[in-house]
Amino acid sequence: MMNLPLSITKTISNWIYSIMPESAATITIWVLVAVAYLTLFAVAGLYLVLLERKVAAWFQLRLGPNRVGPGGIFQTMADALKLVSKELTSTDRVDKFLFNLAPYFVIVSSLIAIGVFPFSKQFQAFDINIGVFFLIAVSSIGVIGILLGGWASNNKFALIGAMRSGLQTISYELSVGMSILTMVLLTGSLQLSEIIEVQRTGGWLIVQGHIPAIVAFMIFMIAGTAETNRAPFDLVEAESELGAGFHTEYSGMKFAYFFLAEFINMFIIASIAVVLFFGGWLSPFGITDHIAWFPESVWFLIKVLIIIFVMMWFRWTFPRLRVDQLLTLEWKYLLPINLVNIVIMAIVIWLNWII
């Protein structure tokens, strides 16, 4: 059963190549893979919006969405249909080209990043030897869309939100990158599939790397939450100050792109954490040996959902920081701790204290 996805994909691939010329078959397979990932992208985004609302209700002793469908499970689908049907509006003074282009920067960068993740041994669209570097590079493109959207809107609240986003993203990318680099030192590879294979024999990296790995994980979670512009780091969209922040002037599906990208970015941060610290699609404690029918991708998604729940827990527990507190946390605390932690991890590896 574990090889079922691989056998299905091989069967489909062989059938397509048998009925088409090679070049046409290759393009067809690319299109099918793209459609599969777009479907995953949309379903994950809608489900995470629903999960966010349910978790918020749970923390606040409310019911949350409970009208559309059993237990409100179709509420986000109804919201999506509503956004699709809404008119795309803008003011007369916007820079129309950049205003319309900005949402696509945000959504496309998130979609490209998802293609690198190994959801299982057989389910990975793009396995390259610089996967970690590729992820960091691609995920940084999204902030360009936010800056363009805020500036092109010709709205002071949108511009302030965009400037805050640039400031926040550039600052906290340092901590995200350094915490990832700490784990790359431990594995000696930038390829995501190889990083998972290292954990097959030695156990999860958060255990192998001792205290430096735990510190790297804690910093990654804090900085990753800030990267996604979520509370308590949601100064970019501070409703009480900026209306809706950088997407104040957006409506309909363009607004939905920004909204959806935030949740997909949360999925990306959680996926990186799972791959680097918790063994990716590997089952905990080798229990797959006793439950051979349990798909590897399900283990991956379970771990990702746990990390996402922790990020949502952050949001509904801590109050929003001020701008000076936000920058103080990064430049005076997280960055110095990260630099020291990388040196400690190098010493641990040099002395061969890895479990």
Side-chain angles (χ1 to χ4, degrees):
M1 290 294 292
M2 294 301 293
N3 293 322
L4 184 59
L6 185 60
S7 63
I8 292 174
T9 53
K10 279 187 175 180
T11 301
I12 294 173
S13 176
N14 293 336
W15 177 72
I16 291 174
Y17 275 103
S18 67
I19 63 173
M20 295 183 181
E22 185 175 350
S23 57
T26 302
I27 294 173
T28 302
I29 290 174
W30 287 351
V31 170
L32 290 175
V33 171
V35 169
Y37 270 85
L38 283 170
T39 304
L40 173 66
F41 190 93
V43 171
L46 290 174
Y47 175 75
L48 290 177
V49 172
L50 178 63
L51 181 63
E52 172 84 82
R53 297 172 71 176
K54 286 291 188 181
V55 169
W58 181 56
F59 273 98
Q60 297 171 356
L61 302 180
R62 298 185 289 106
L63 292 177
N66 58 10
R67 298 295 184 191
V68 186
I73 60 173
F74 300 130
Q75 180 64 55
T76 50
M77 295 183 185
D79 293 339
L81 290 174
K82 179 193 71 172
L83 287 170
V84 169
S85 65
K86 280 188 173 293
E87 181 183 0
L88 299 176
T89 62
S90 64
T91 62
D92 293 335
R93 297 186 177 183
V94 301
D95 184 320
K96 292 189 182 297
F97 175 73
L98 296 180
F99 183 82
N100 294 324
L101 180 65
Y104 296 99
F105 268 100
V106 177
I107 205 78
V108 169
S109 65
S110 301
L111 181 58
I112 294 173
I114 285 182
V116 185
F117 289 116
F119 293 97
S120 71
K121 195 169 185 178
Q122 297 87 23
F123 187 9
Q124 185 177 13
F126 194 37
D127 187 18
I128 52 176
N129 59 359
I130 55 168
V132 173
F133 178 75
F134 179 84
L135 265 178
I136 295 173
V138 168
S139 59
S140 300
I141 297 174
V143 71
I144 297 176
I146 295 175
L147 290 170
L148 286 178
W151 183 84
S153 295
N154 197 21
N155 178 296
K156 61 183 178 181
F157 297 122
L159 181 59
I160 292 171
M163 292 172 66
R164 284 183 177 183
S165 177
L167 179 72
Q168 183 171 319
T169 302
I170 291 170
S171 297
Y172 279 87
E173 270 184 356
L174 293 172
S175 286
V176 168
M178 287 188 177
S179 57
I180 290 174
L181 180 60
T182 304
M183 305 313 294
V184 169
L185 278 176
L186 182 60
T187 60
S189 175
L190 291 170
Q191 189 168 352
L192 297 179
S193 58
E194 285 190 8
I195 291 173
I196 292 176
E197 288 300 322
V198 168
Q199 300 173 76
R200 183 186 291 278
T201 55
W204 292 353
L205 290 180
I206 198 168
V207 177
Q208 290 189 48
H210 300 289
I211 293 177
I214 297 173
V215 172
F217 172 68
M218 294 174 65
I219 294 174
F220 178 81
M221 286 301 298
I222 295 170
T225 303
E227 279 277 281
T228 55
N229 299 326
R230 291 179 56 80
F233 307 101
D234 60 337
L235 293 167
V236 177
E237 307 173 26
E239 295 88 353
S240 57
E241 305 167 26
L242 304 179
F246 61 90
H247 52 62
T248 298
E249 298 292 348
Y250 284 91
S251 65
M253 278 308 296
K254 291 177 185 176
F255 166 78
Y257 286 158
F258 284 114
F259 190 67
L260 183 63
E262 176 184 324
F263 287 90
I264 295 300
N265 288 336
M266 185 165 55
F267 182 88
I268 290 169
I269 291 293
S271 298
I272 295 172
V274 166
V275 170
L276 291 181
F277 298 97
F278 298 106
W281 46 262
L282 296 174
S283 64
F285 316 115
I287 64 176
T288 299
D289 298 336
H290 306 290
I291 312 178
W293 52 267
F294 206 71
E296 296 167 339
S297 56
V298 174
W299 284 122
F300 185 90
L301 293 175
I302 288 173
K303 295 175 187 177
V304 166
L305 287 175
I306 291 172
I307 299 295
I308 288 174
F309 174 76
V310 172
M311 296 175 73
M312 291 178 177
W313 195 344
F314 285 173
R315 173 170 185 173
W316 301 108
T317 303
F318 297 106
R320 182 183 299 138
L321 299 178
R322 298 194 311 263
V323 174
D324 61 311
Q325 293 172 328
L326 180 92
L327 296 178
T328 296
L329 176 64
E330 166 61 18
W331 294 101
K332 290 188 177 180
Y333 295 98
L334 296 185
L335 187 60
I337 292 172
N338 240 328
L339 291 170
V340 173
N341 197 48
I342 289 177
V343 175
I344 295 174
M345 178 62 83
I347 293 172
V348 167
I349 296 169
W350 178 51
L351 296 174
N352 199 25
W353 285 350
I354 303 171
I355 293 178

